[in-house]
Amino acid sequence: GELPGDAGFDPLGFAKSREDLMNYREAEIKHARLAMLAAAGWPLSELFDKKIALALHLTPLVDSSDRAPSILNGGLGKVNPFYWIAVLGAASAIEFYGINRSKSGDESYFPGNLGFDPLGVYPKNEADQKNMQLAEIKNGRLAMIAIFGFAIQEFVSKSGVIDETPFFFLPLAETLKMYTNSGYLN
């Protein structure tokens, strides 16, 4: 394939035209970016939600088992409706901008290119740009799997991702101390 990360895998033939392929890639990159944010935000919310909520005199959103609010875990009703309105408004504005940019006929446009690079980290030469796009799509695909794993893990185990796999998210000394005090190690 011509796109970074495209190995020509379309066994069901969904992408019947180049336009279909570009629409699917646009959707994939959007989901990948959201998943990368969520893969970082989910464990961070479990680590810091209670501390931040107590400091601001708010009710924590994580439940008593330190599980983040999700469709499978419940708890989404505890989130302030103004937050959902702000999120939907911001997402709609970004989507509207992205659609207009994709339909502008700009030759330099590719799926996911919103022209937003305030820190100037996007490479200038084409080879490095392709490598960055490849890294983004591969990390995004991994993040989509991770978020699916987080949701299923919390639903099945009934405990938070941090509590279930602390060695990924907490300092090693703290994790080992937890395990030695819980009877896993003698």
Side-chain angles (χ1 to χ4, degrees):
E2 65 186 72
L3 297 172
D6 177 13
F9 182 76
D10 187 12
L12 300 178
F14 287 125
K16 304 229 182 292
S17 67
R18 178 167 169 70
E19 185 179 346
D20 287 346
L21 177 64
M22 291 302 149
N23 286 334
Y24 287 130
R25 175 49 65 97
E26 190 82 42
E28 181 182 26
I29 198 72
K30 287 175 187 175
H31 285 86
R33 288 173 178 169
L34 284 172
M36 287 187 281
L37 288 171
W42 192 308
L44 287 173
S45 72
E46 291 181 7
L47 283 172
F48 299 113
D49 179 65
K50 287 182 181 174
K51 294 172 187 168
I52 293 171
L54 291 175
L56 298 175
H57 307 291
L58 298 171
T59 305
L61 293 177
V62 295
D63 66 11
S64 60
S65 299
D66 288 333
R67 296 181 311 161
S70 73
I71 291 173
L72 295 176
N73 294 340
L76 292 175
K78 293 194 285 186
V79 179
N80 189 318
F82 291 114
Y83 170 80
W84 293 121
I85 292 169
V87 165
L88 287 173
S92 297
I94 293 168
E95 183 69 14
F96 181 74
Y97 176 75
I99 289 171
N100 284 338
R101 189 158 164 91
S102 70
K103 304 294 184 211
S104 69
D106 182 4
E107 296 276 331
S108 66
Y109 181 79
F110 55 88
N113 179 9
L114 298 178
F116 181 76
D117 185 20
L119 301 177
V121 296
Y122 194 66
K124 304 295 181 224
N125 68 34
E126 192 173 336
D128 289 342
Q129 289 175 354
K130 292 289 183 197
N131 284 338
M132 184 174 268
Q133 291 171 21
L134 180 64
E136 180 182 34
I137 199 68
K138 285 185 173 185
N139 284 297
R141 289 170 179 167
L142 182 61
M144 287 187 265
I145 293 168
I147 289 301
F148 178 74
F150 287 176
I152 297 302
Q153 178 182 334
E154 286 196 355
F155 179 71
V156 171
S157 72
K158 303 294 187 222
S159 66
V161 170
I162 299 293
D163 296 333
E164 195 72 23
T165 53
F167 46 89
F168 284 128
F169 305 105
L170 299 174
L172 184 60
E174 187 177 332
T175 304
L176 291 175
K177 183 179 179 186
M178 246 180 3
Y179 279 128
T180 55
N181 292 336
S182 66
Y184 281 117
L185 300 172
N186 292 325

